[in-house]
Amino acid sequence: MLEATYHSLEDLAEAIGVALSAPITIEDRNHRLLAYSTHTADTDPARIATIIGRRVPESVIDQLWKDEVIQNLAAQDEPLIISARTGVGLNDRVAIAIKQDTEILGYIWSIARSTPFSETELSDFKKGALLAQRQLLAIDMQKKRQEEKTEQFFFELLHEDMPESEILKTFSKLHVAPPGISRLMVIRFSEAITPRLADRLRYLLTIQQTVRPLLYAYDETDFILWISTNDQDAHHERLQFDAFIQSFRQMLAERFNYTNFISASSEVFTGVQSIPERYEETGIVLRLKDAFPFELSTVTRYERLGLFQLLPIFSERLRRRTVRLEEIERLRSYDEKHAASLCETLEWFLHYDGNVKQVASHLHVHPNTILYRMRRIEEEAGIRMESLPERALLYLYLKADRYPL
């Protein structure tokens, strides 16, 4: 029989374990281990991995989401009997969500016994969730206060250069380990980030184990992250980062039905300085993706922009009229006079590196039409594109008008 109060979650976990004669774990809403009871020799790999890593393995969480176990726990107030998932090392379980009204604060899990739990034991299990509620509320409030301090520091770091010593000192106060190689990243949504979405983003960021989140913050429609792989090999870092992006996008879509967003990252960097510059790089990627959604649909990392990296500078020069290509201006005059589309044809001819079939397919015309237009381009503007520098300059010039300064 459980008592009315317990001094700690460890005491509560042990008491529930005694009442049920089964091993117990208590987790927060993000599946991080808070307390666990003594266990016997018949424990399973998932419990051992959770205790060692202080968090539920990502493979276990992923399987429980796919099987709608997490959803079912959120939807009910009674203990849930969960059959084994041996593929991820999980034996039969009984679990219950710890809630404040409809808000999930955490979970209590028990490994099932060889004999079924009685109604009295399941009642004790439910009472344990109620007893854990007060302690988890206190933990939750403390975490939110810490997150507010961390977010405020991150915003300052994004907008002003700080001495390295000051940054590292604050890292130490916030219990954040300095990064190896890292990136800044922004996930931009079509609408303002609500508290509900913010909770879900934090949840997904916490349960993934591909990259290490250093700091994060929210700014209207943007979820801003500083993430590190602690891998000094640049190739491996790119692989891990791309895997994180793909996984995060998939989880947002499958678990919470969020698909209307774009993501961008800075160039990879080491150390903790020049953060405002890295943040500006994410902004450049976002502006370019907005201006060129087709061309940059698969691009997230700043270094993969290629020639598009030059567009901000080139566009500024074009606006100040310090650069001008008479050939393109003649084509534009021809297009306006004859309601033609030679500039558009040239732009996509350059984009597809002269592949006439691809250009024709993109513009929904016959390949012979493209060949005819290219002859007109040569005749009207004298453009022959005999060298790579010439082709690159033409391409930049045609794209520059669409870049928002």
Side-chain angles (χ1 to χ4, degrees):
M1 192 71 178
L2 297 180
E3 298 176 5
T5 58
Y6 289 89
H7 293 297
S8 68
L9 285 174
E10 287 78 8
D11 290 343
L12 176 59
E14 197 65 51
I16 299 172
V18 170
L20 272 66
S21 300
I24 299 295
T25 55
I26 302 177
E27 306 160 10
D28 69 10
R29 69 180 68 178
N30 297 322
H31 308 290
R32 288 178 293 204
L33 183 66
L34 297 175
Y36 62 96
S37 69
T38 305
H39 62 245
T40 56
D42 61 351
T43 191
D44 60 23
R47 176 181 167 86
I48 294 171
T50 298
I51 293 172
I52 292 174
R54 305 300 297 180
R55 62 196 296 180
V56 180
E58 189 175 357
S59 59
V60 176
I61 300 170
D62 188 50
Q63 189 64 56
L64 294 175
W65 270 99
K66 287 180 179 177
D67 297 342
E68 298 190 354
V69 173
I70 301 296
Q71 297 91 315
N72 289 335
L73 281 169
Q76 67 182 55
D77 298 324
E78 300 299 320
L80 180 68
I81 308 298
I82 302 164
S83 59
R85 270 74 176 171
T86 54
V88 291
L90 195 77
N91 291 347
D92 292 341
R93 285 286 202 280
V94 178
I96 190 168
I98 306 165
K99 300 179 183 179
Q100 169 70 6
D101 297 326
T102 59
E103 181 185 4
I104 301 293
L105 299 174
Y107 305 90
I108 301 179
W109 294 80
S110 170
I111 294 180
R113 306 178 316 215
S114 57
T115 56
F117 291 114
S118 67
E119 289 298 322
T120 301
E121 289 171 326
L122 291 177
S123 179
D124 279 339
F125 198 57
K126 184 176 180 179
K127 183 179 179 181
L130 292 173
L131 292 171
Q133 182 194 74
R134 181 179 297 179
Q135 295 194 47
L136 261 67
L137 277 170
I139 292 171
D140 203 45
M141 288 180 64
Q142 185 178 4
K143 284 182 180 177
K144 286 179 179 177
R145 285 194 294 268
Q146 180 74 2
E147 285 173 358
E148 288 173 1
K149 292 179 182 178
T150 303
E151 188 170 333
Q152 181 180 356
F153 166 67
F154 192 26
F155 270 124
E156 293 173 0
L157 198 56
L158 290 172
H159 295 99
E160 60 179 274
D161 281 311
M162 294 184 186
E164 182 178 7
S165 58
E166 183 179 340
I167 296 172
L168 293 176
K169 183 178 179 181
T170 307
F171 268 37
S172 179
K173 288 181 179 178
L174 297 174
H175 307 293
V176 176
I181 56 177
S182 57
R183 294 176 185 268
L184 287 188
M185 177 184 172
V186 174
I187 300 175
R188 175 166 291 173
F189 293 85
S190 59
E191 298 178 354
I193 295 174
T194 63
R196 181 178 179 82
L197 174 55
D199 282 343
R200 289 173 168 178
L201 290 169
R202 275 194 297 268
Y203 173 80
L204 294 181
L205 188 62
T206 303
I207 66 171
Q208 65 78 35
Q209 297 172 26
T210 307
V211 300
R212 181 167 68 92
L214 301 171
L215 301 169
Y216 57 84
Y218 308 92
D219 187 12
E220 296 184 355
T221 60
D222 292 351
F223 182 40
I224 310 164
L225 300 143
W226 184 357
I227 56 177
S228 172
T229 61
N230 282 335
D231 194 327
Q232 297 301 324
D233 184 283
H235 175 65
H236 289 159
E237 186 278 336
R238 288 194 297 271
L239 292 176
Q240 289 181 350
F241 177 79
D242 289 343
F244 166 71
I245 289 291
Q246 182 179 357
S247 173
F248 206 81
R249 178 178 294 276
Q250 184 177 347
M251 288 192 294
L252 267 173
E254 292 180 352
R255 298 183 185 181
F256 303 122
N257 200 31
Y258 287 106
T259 57
N260 197 7
F261 58 88
I262 57 175
S263 53
S265 92
S266 71
E267 200 167 36
V268 67
F269 62 97
T270 58
V272 296
Q273 292 186 291
S274 302
I275 303 305
E277 183 180 343
R278 303 283 83 83
Y279 185 40
E280 174 58 24
E281 287 174 355
T282 67
I284 291 171
V285 177
L286 289 168
R287 289 193 293 274
L288 284 167
K289 285 173 72 70
D290 185 58
F292 306 101
F294 178 83
E295 296 93 319
L296 300 177
S297 61
T298 62
V299 173
T300 298
R301 294 184 270 113
Y302 178 81
E303 66 267 26
R304 284 202 61 209
L305 289 173
L307 198 64
F308 284 84
Q309 285 186 26
L310 302 177
L311 267 182
I313 298 171
F314 194 86
S315 296
E316 177 59 31
R317 292 185 61 195
L318 193 63
R319 299 297 192 279
R320 291 189 280 109
R321 312 301 288 177
T322 58
V323 60
R324 184 177 175 86
L325 287 182
E326 294 297 333
E327 298 92 336
I328 298 298
E329 298 305 323
R330 286 199 294 271
L331 283 185
R332 284 176 176 160
S333 297
Y334 182 91
D335 283 347
E336 291 174 5
K337 184 177 179 180
H338 299 89
S341 53
L342 297 187
C343 283
E344 181 187 34
T345 300
L346 177 59
E347 180 180 346
W348 292 106
F349 187 85
L350 291 165
H351 179 85
Y352 286 111
D353 198 23
N355 188 312
V356 173
K357 287 185 178 179
Q358 285 184 307
V359 180
S361 176
H362 182 83
L363 297 177
H364 306 291
V365 297
H366 195 277
N368 287 341
T369 302
I370 301 301
L371 293 173
Y372 168 77
R373 290 179 184 176
M374 293 308 299
R375 286 195 298 271
R376 296 299 301 160
I377 288 169
E378 184 174 342
E379 293 168 1
E380 293 297 327
I383 296 174
R384 291 179 175 81
M385 298 177 291
E386 295 175 346
S387 68
L388 177 59
E390 181 186 5
R391 293 195 297 273
L393 182 60
L394 290 169
Y395 190 68
L396 273 175
Y397 199 91
L398 288 164
K399 294 293 186 186
D401 278 344
R402 288 162 54 194
Y403 180 75
L405 288 176

